[in-house]
Amino acid sequence: MKFAFIIDPIERLDPGHDSSVALMEAAQALGHEVWITQANLLSVVDGKAWAVLEPVQLTPVQLVNGLWVAEPVWFAVGDRTLSRLESMDAVFMRTDPPVTVPYLYATYILDYIDAAETLVINSPKGLRAANEKMYALQFTEAIPETIVSADKGVIREFLEAKGTAVLKPLGGKAGEGILFLDASDRNFNSLIELSTLQGRVPVMVQTYLPAAKDGDKRIILLNGEPIGALNRIPTGKEFRGNMAVGGRVAETEITEREREICTQLAPTLQRDGLIFVGIDVIGGYLTEVNVTSPTGIREADRLNGTRLGHQVIEWVEKFKSANLA
Ligand SMILES: Nc1ncnc2c1ncn2[C@@H]1O[C@H](COP(=O)(O)OP(=O)(O)O)[C@@H](O)[C@H]1O
Ligand SMILES: [Mg+2]
């Protein structure tokens, strides 16, 4: 089969950390062709989606003393060609967030791929439906108390009722712009003005979960089923657990409550074509549903001895053969 991956420039990827590389390696190891492109290299011509594609050959990372080690030159790309994306069996949309206007336009281009020909993961419609912060709000039993507002009065009232809270920009990732709010903070007004761009942009404000100090669990879902997990524990003086801000990665189990959360999400994720997803869970509460370019495969694999990339590609193989039959 032929797999295309829409990624950021490949030289910027970190082969020992990025799930996109794990997925590409798995596709190659399972005997498939791996092609790469970028969101800005997509076009619609004659009503069909096209891309400037390059074939890529990867030298897989190796596990050395519990860490992934890559060769200094870990990929080799071949000649570029302009091809219809329907010539691929599957297309993985893996551009890193934030979701910008060019990102959204790329999803509109991906709408011009016939689903009967090519599976797009995640579905462009699902990517538009699911803001990574706000998508969680519909699972009312799974989430901590949360509001979304640009209004200082509304935010202040919520914060005073809770005492402490966490503020999140709706388009953020990797801990960017996440603030700890305290009702007695003399910077409150300024913090809200800065993060809402003077009351123009809504933000999420969520009750502070003390369990966050024990970790922010990433659970990886494949078609709604949990296939792996890892914990990210805040270190030092940092309250955020994200790997990008130094969170320590640790082995973990998926609890009964977390399995229930996955069961609650599964039908909605499936309806929206959100096949490869990473949810964040703190103290048994769902805090985020990552759909754009969720990460965690490398960490889960090295902690648990799994091969989640293989599982994802094998799922695509089965899906394709079932849909051809
Ligand atoms: N409700 C919460 N209570 C305590 N800490 C939180 C809460 N929500 C998020 N955090 C902390 O902030 C970090 C980032 O939050 P998250 O919602 O996953 O946004 P993103 O990962 O997109 O930046 C988490 O790793 C966690 O440490
Ligand atoms: Mg997160």
Side-chain angles (χ1 to χ4, degrees), residues 307-324:
R307 290 202 298 180
L308 299 183
H310 282 65
Q311 268 176 259
V312 174
I313 301 300
E314 283 161 0
W315 184 90
V316 174
E317 290 169 356
K318 282 206 195 87
F319 177 91
K320 295 295 296 188
S321 59
N323 284 274
L324 286 176

Side-chain angles (χ1 to χ4, degrees), residues 133-151:
K133 297 289 180 300
M134 288 198 67
Y135 195 74
L137 293 181
Q138 62 193 299
F139 306 102
T140 47
E141 283 161 39
I143 56 161
E145 281 183 84
T146 305
I147 60 165
V148 172
S149 181
D151 187 290

